[in-house]
Amino acid sequence: MRSNQLTLGLDIGVRSVGWTLINRASKKIVRAGVRLFDAGVEGVVKKGKDVSRAAQRREARLRRRQTERKVRRMLKLALILQEARLLPEGDVRDPQARHEFIAELDQ
């Protein structure tokens, strides 16, 4: 059987992929199958008590992004205040130097 006589049909769903290999010449199904995937949640889906397995990872990523944004806002403010001479000169771009700079301001 030549490969150009075969057609692969796919049915791609949320939790499964169905496939069928059809011989176009004889119009018959050569092979067929389905692959089911586990739900991406833990808990009872039907009762609405499911929790995404990625939720913990997503929340940690959100906290990291929020922290990064806060640090960027504080750095931008420090640079503006230094430019306006409302904050003493010092290296606020380097994280280690920034901590030392803030510690000196607190004294």
Side-chain angles (χ1 to χ4, degrees), residues 44-99:
V44 183
V45 176
K46 291 182 180 178
K47 292 185 179 180
K49 297 183 179 184
D50 54 333
V51 177
S52 170
R53 283 185 252 168
Q56 186 177 4
R57 224 175 43 243
R58 184 175 52 246
E59 289 168 10
R61 186 171 58 243
L62 174 65
R63 286 190 298 272
R64 286 192 305 271
R65 286 179 181 163
Q66 288 174 334
T67 301
E68 175 63 28
R69 289 176 187 144
K70 182 178 178 181
V71 167
R72 270 190 275 139
R73 285 193 306 267
M74 291 175 62
L75 175 60
K76 188 174 180 179
L77 177 63
L79 292 172
I80 290 170
L81 290 174
Q82 281 182 340
E83 190 176 300
R85 299 193 190 282
L86 296 172
L87 200 61
E89 291 297 320
D91 188 12
V92 292
R93 292 186 188 275
D94 178 45
Q96 182 61 35
R98 185 181 319 131
H99 288 293

Side-chain angles (χ1 to χ4, degrees), residues 19-39:
W19 62 274
T20 303
L21 193 59
I22 300 172
N23 184 330
R24 288 189 306 216
S26 66
K27 300 195 188 293
K28 292 190 178 187
I29 295 174
V30 178
R31 304 258 339 232
V34 66
R35 172 71 166 104
L36 298 175
F37 304 109
D38 294 334

